[in-house]
């Protein structure tokens, strides 16, 4: 059954969107939140578990101190107040992928609260998003539905993997966000991007959305233009890419606007983003906090912080990602478009490391955004996983500067580096890729090209200098692309008496 949608521009003319985001960040601690089980991705199902993770009778949890420190760091980075004392609570809900049948979370007293984050939109405008809280909890396991479409609705049976059960999470909850207007979908993407950048900079999460390290629940409601009272909200669950967050918000605004415009009412519910159809589908009625029957976790003592501990962690904070981007853009001299492309490609760290290693900013951008990105895309890996390092790029630039190789050969060398054949210098030597600098060999190749192409020679002598390119091609072929192009052009001019 198709869903009626209102044109997005019309929806913004009639309604004001109110947003809210719950972003779950999986921490990259060595062990889980409340047990000594390994916190590792991709291992065999049900191998990273202990009695605590499996909810065995009498098994007692213990808090992961590193996870607590990660939560404090994130709270500080989000300009939050850090609680002097906070505890955990049991969140009662039917969790088929949590064997103990409740989630250990925080309720009344989160470790961090009342903060904000400044989000940069595409045109450089800053939008401040108020943070209500950031609290610690544990992740659930993973269900795999077998049979049918692979979804629970028509599955024959389900398998549960408890490896993820108990993985440390921080949930960041915003206050209601008003005033974004027609930039609401863009703000959604920019906000989740900002959170990902912050946790990556803090090195508290691998922050890979495709692995579920960062997951966003997007709350959307609409109110008529000028109205004070918020509309009924929906919560679109576990959106796992920046583009999907933007698309999900756009779709929900269009869907809700059509319902309200026709005199209907929006159902308060969770919804699920369908990437293939770019739509949301109904999940379950949305529960309020009272429905979870929170009560204090009796098996865990409260966490008590002191100013010395907080100050120590504050000193370890890295430069704010937004401030860093603005600094680097100025230092590198990139245009707005060039820098936006680098940010969109996620290559700031690689280019920064390459410039720090000695390359020029333009050369670093050229290779990371060019041949390295192409090979990474071809191999379906991230550029930093290709095996080409900032030091390799610096070495390639040095070889070009010394005229040992040219750009064409450099691209070949990058491919061989990615294949694990060694450093650029080793590859050039082993494969005899150095530029042909033997004047005798170059003169012979030029003379042969001139002899083989008398019509081209006539055009050149007749004043059509661009025709020289037709002679350079055969010379490059004869030298396997290893001739210095500038020197070849000089020799052509010399032999033609130009």
């Amino acid at each position: 059954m198709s869903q009626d949608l209102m044109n997005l521009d019309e929806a913004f003319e009639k309604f004001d969107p109110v947003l809210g985001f719950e972003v779950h960040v999986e921490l990259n601690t060595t062990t889980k939140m409340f047990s000594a089980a390994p916190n590792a991705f991709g291992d065999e199902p049900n191998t990273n578990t202990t009695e605590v993770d499996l909810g065995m009778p009498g098994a007692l949890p213990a808090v992961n101190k590193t996870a607590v420190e990660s939560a404090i760091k994130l709270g500080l980075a989000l300009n939050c107040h850090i609680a002097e004392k906070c505890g955990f609570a049991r969140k009662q809900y039917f969790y088929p992928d949590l064997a103990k049948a409740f989630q250990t979370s925080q309720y009344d007293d989160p470790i961090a609260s009342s903060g904000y984050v400044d989000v940069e939109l595409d045109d450089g405008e800053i939008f401040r998003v108020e943070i209500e809280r950031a609290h610690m909890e544990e992740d659930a396991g993973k269900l795999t539905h077998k049979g049918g479409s692979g979804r629970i609705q028509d599955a024959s049976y389900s398998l549960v993997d408890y490896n993820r059960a108990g993985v440390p999470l921080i949930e960041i909850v915003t206050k209601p966000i008003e005033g974004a207007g027609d930039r609401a979908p863009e703000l959604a993407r920019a906000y989740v991007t900002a959170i990902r950048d912050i946790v990556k900079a803090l090195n508290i999460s691998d922050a890979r959305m495709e692995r579920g390290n960062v997951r966003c629940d997007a709350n959307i409601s609409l109110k008529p233009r000028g109205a004070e009272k918020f509309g009924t909200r929906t919560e679109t669950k576990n959106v796992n890419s920046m583009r999907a967050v933007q698309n999900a918000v756009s779709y929900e605004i269009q869907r809700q606007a059509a319902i309200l415009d026709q005199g209907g009412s929006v159902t308060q519910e969770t919804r699920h983003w369908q990437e293939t159809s770019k739509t949301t589908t109904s999940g379950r009625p949305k529960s309020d906090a009272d429905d979870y029957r929170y009560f204090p976790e009796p098996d865990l003592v409260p966490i008590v912080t002191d100013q010395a501990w907080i100050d120590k962690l504050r000193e370890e904070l890295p430069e704010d990602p937004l401030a860093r981007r603005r600094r680097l853009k100025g230092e590198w001299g990139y245009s707005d478009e060039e820098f936006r492309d680098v940010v969109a490609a996620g290559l700031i760290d690689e280019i920064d490391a390459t410039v720090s290693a000695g390359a020029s900013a333009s050369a670093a951008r050229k290779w990371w955004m060019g041949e390295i990105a192409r090979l990474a895309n071809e191999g379906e890996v991230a550029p930093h996983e290709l095996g080409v390092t900032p030091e390799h790029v610096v070495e390639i630039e040095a070889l070009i500067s010394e005229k040992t190789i040219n750009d064409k050969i450099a691209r070949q060398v990058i491919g061989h580096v990615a294949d694990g054949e060694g450093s650029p210098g080793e590859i050039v030597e082993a494969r005899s890729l150095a530029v042909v600098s033997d004047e005798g060999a170059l003169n012979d190749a030029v003379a042969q090209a001139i002899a083989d192409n008398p019509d081209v020679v006539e055009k050149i002598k007749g004043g059509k200098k661009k025709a020289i390119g037709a002679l350079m091609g055969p010379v490059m072929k004869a030298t396997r692309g290893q001739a210095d192009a500038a020197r070849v052009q000089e020799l052509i001019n010399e032999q033609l008496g130009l």
Side-chain angles (χ1 to χ4, degrees):
M1 180 178 176
S2 63
Q3 172 70 55
D4 290 337
L5 300 178
M6 180 180 286
N7 175 274
L8 198 55
D9 290 335
E10 184 182 356
F12 288 129
E13 288 176 6
K14 294 185 175 183
F15 300 98
D16 285 324
V18 179
L19 306 177
F21 300 104
E22 299 163 16
V23 175
H24 295 78
V25 177
E26 276 188 354
L27 302 181
N28 57 7
T29 52
T30 304
T31 56
K32 293 185 180 179
M33 187 73 222
F34 302 113
S35 82
N39 174 17
F41 177 86
D43 288 353
E44 286 294 312
N46 297 307
T47 55
N48 297 336
T49 59
T50 68
E51 295 84 355
V52 173
D53 310 305
L54 298 176
M56 296 294 184
L60 293 175
V63 176
N64 185 327
K65 181 181 178 182
T66 302
V68 174
E69 292 190 331
S70 295
I72 293 173
K73 287 180 180 179
L74 181 54
L76 293 172
L78 296 175
N79 305 290
C80 288
H81 166 74
I82 305 301
E84 295 179 5
K85 182 179 179 181
C86 63
F88 289 94
R90 292 188 180 185
K91 184 179 180 182
Q92 311 293 323
Y93 182 67
F94 175 63
Y95 290 101
D97 42 9
L98 274 176
K100 59 189 181 181
F102 63 85
Q103 181 188 40
T104 305
S105 181
Q106 292 190 299
Y107 179 44
D108 289 328
D109 48 0
I111 193 164
S113 60
S114 301
Y116 66 87
V117 60
D118 286 332
V119 177
E120 186 174 27
L121 301 180
D122 290 344
D123 62 357
E125 180 184 341
I126 301 297
F127 194 105
R128 177 162 290 187
V129 174
E130 303 286 343
I131 303 297
E132 180 178 307
R133 57 191 281 144
H135 64 262
M136 297 176 289
E137 60 187 23
E138 61 183 335
D139 210 344
K142 180 180 179 181
L143 290 173
T144 302
H145 306 296
K146 294 292 186 178
S149 65
R151 300 181 63 196
I152 193 170
Q153 287 89 335
D154 57 356
S156 302
Y157 61 96
S158 297
L159 301 175
V160 61
D161 177 8
Y162 288 112
N163 280 353
R164 197 175 65 185
V167 166
L169 284 181
I170 302 174
E171 181 177 351
I172 307 160
V173 182
T174 68
K175 294 180 180 179
I177 304 167
E178 300 181 78
D182 60 2
R183 305 193 75 173
E186 178 190 347
L187 174 63
R189 170 177 51 80
Y191 170 73
V192 178
T193 300
I195 295 299
R196 182 202 60 184
D197 290 347
I198 288 170
V199 300
K200 279 183 66 178
L202 292 170
N203 194 28
I204 62 173
S205 172
D206 294 337
R208 295 181 60 171
M209 293 190 77
E210 75 278 10
R211 289 186 175 182
N213 299 144
V214 177
R215 308 192 293 271
C216 177
D217 298 342
N219 293 273
I220 304 107
S221 67
L222 298 180
K223 60 181 183 178
R225 280 278 183 179
E228 294 294 327
K229 185 179 179 182
F230 290 172
T232 302
R233 66 186 171 91
T234 63
E235 180 182 14
T236 302
K237 302 287 288 184
N238 291 336
V239 190
N240 64 357
S241 76
M242 307 304 176
R243 189 176 299 277
V245 171
Q246 180 169 347
N247 290 339
V249 169
S250 293
Y251 180 85
E252 269 301 288
I253 289 172
Q254 293 179 273
R255 187 187 70 86
Q256 292 184 25
I259 292 171
L260 296 172
D261 194 56
Q262 294 167 11
S265 58
V266 174
T267 301
Q268 181 171 317
E269 62 181 350
T270 62
R271 296 184 68 83
H272 300 282
W273 174 247
Q274 308 300 332
E275 184 60 37
T276 52
S277 61
K278 301 292 188 293
T279 63
T280 65
T281 55
S282 182
R284 60 178 173 82
K286 176 61 180 171
S287 302
D288 291 317
D290 291 345
D291 297 323
Y292 292 120
R293 305 189 313 281
Y294 284 96
F295 68 86
E297 169 56 70
D299 293 334
L300 292 169
V301 297
I303 295 168
V304 179
T305 63
D306 59 54
Q307 198 57 47
W309 190 21
I310 294 172
D311 289 344
K312 174 181 175 293
L313 295 175
R314 191 189 300 275
E315 289 174 2
E316 297 175 4
L317 296 182
E319 184 179 11
D320 173 71
L322 176 56
R324 179 184 178 226
R325 285 200 301 272
R326 294 190 162 187
R327 174 179 61 80
L328 290 175
K329 181 177 181 293
E331 291 178 359
W332 294 345
Y334 291 175
S335 68
D336 291 344
E337 183 178 0
E338 287 171 342
F339 196 75
R340 276 198 302 269
D341 289 345
V342 168
V343 172
L347 288 170
I348 284 182
D349 290 343
E350 287 75 16
I351 291 176
D352 190 19
T354 304
V355 173
S356 297
S360 68
S362 59
R365 182 177 64 83
K366 166 188 165 183
W367 291 113
W368 283 104
M369 294 291 290
E371 186 64 12
I372 299 173
R374 187 191 70 78
L375 289 172
N377 184 59
E378 194 176 81
E380 297 183 343
V381 297
H384 71 271
E385 296 175 322
L386 195 63
V388 182
T389 67
E391 291 72 24
H392 288 146
V393 175
V394 172
E395 188 176 349
I396 284 170
E397 274 296 298
L399 290 168
I400 293 172
S401 178
E402 295 162 2
K403 299 193 175 182
T404 303
I405 60 175
N406 54 31
D407 270 24
K408 181 179 179 181
I409 297 172
R411 289 193 290 274
Q412 297 176 38
V413 171
I414 287 174
H416 297 314
V417 171
D419 290 338
E421 294 185 20
S423 70
E426 292 168 343
I427 291 166
V428 169
E429 183 176 354
R431 286 180 167 267
S432 302
L433 292 175
V435 166
V436 175
S437 56
D438 183 336
E439 287 287 305
L442 284 180
N443 268 306
D444 289 345
V446 168
Q448 190 64 51
I450 289 171
D452 291 343
N453 297 276
D455 54 333
V456 174
V457 171
E458 287 302 315
K459 289 179 182 178
I460 297 170
K461 288 184 175 180
K464 295 183 178 180
K465 295 293 181 69
K466 289 184 178 179
I468 286 179
L471 293 181
M472 292 186 67
V475 176
M476 287 299 184
K477 184 177 180 181
T479 58
R480 296 186 302 162
Q482 293 172 232
D484 180 82
R487 184 56 183 150
V488 170
Q489 187 164 342
E490 289 173 0
L491 290 174
I492 290 172
N493 284 325
E494 286 176 15
Q495 291 197 25
L496 294 179
L498 301 176

